[in-house]
Amino acid sequence: MSRRLKQFYGIRTLATVIAWRKRLKQSGFTEVEVKEYSRSMGKWGVDHDPYREIDMNWYEDEHMQRMSRTNDRLLAKYGKKLGYAVFKARAPLGTKKEG
């Protein structure tokens, strides 16, 4: 599962919420909050943004259709094992050195 998902989505890792928090803090972010999460992609619902502009030609593109079908199959197969999270984090402002 992990290999197929990483390859298709072009990601290096599938991490837990705890692991992502740790990575964000190690990268210098402070006040890391988990604003929303689910242990199942089944709760993701429909990704609908009424203000998103979409090139309607994408719906006619064969490669786009194939990618969309693959995405749907992967989520149908692994969606109960995958989750998602939305993080809010702050990075401290850099300090200027005088002199």
Side-chain angles (χ1 to χ4, degrees):
M1 171 184 94
S2 180
R3 184 184 56 77
R4 284 194 71 199
L5 293 169
K6 285 190 230 179
Q7 183 180 19
F8 179 74
Y9 293 111
I11 55 178
R12 287 185 273 174
T13 185
L14 290 173
T16 64
V17 171
I18 293 168
W20 273 114
R21 271 186 90 144
K22 183 178 179 181
R23 287 176 184 196
L24 289 167
K25 287 188 174 212
Q26 288 173 339
S27 296
F29 288 94
T30 59
E31 301 179 42
V32 177
E33 297 177 51
V34 179
K35 299 302 282 183
E36 177 183 332
Y37 80 97
S38 172
R39 293 180 187 208
S40 168
M41 291 299 288
K43 295 181 181 181
W44 179 258
V46 176
D47 178 21
H48 176 71
D49 178 355
Y51 302 107
R52 181 182 298 146
E53 293 184 24
I54 298 175
D55 182 347
M56 297 307 281
N57 291 321
W58 286 358
Y59 292 109
E60 302 296 325
D61 185 280
E62 182 181 326
H63 298 292
M64 194 71 153
Q65 291 175 7
R66 189 176 321 129
M67 187 275 316
S68 182
R69 286 191 302 269
T70 301
N71 180 66
D72 291 346
R73 280 194 302 272
L74 288 170
L75 288 178
K77 187 171 183 175
Y78 302 120
K80 291 182 180 178
K81 296 179 183 179
L82 293 173
Y84 71 90
V86 177
F87 294 89
K88 176 182 175 184
R90 295 179 187 253
L93 296 174
T95 56
K96 286 188 174 183
K97 292 186 180 182
E98 306 247 352

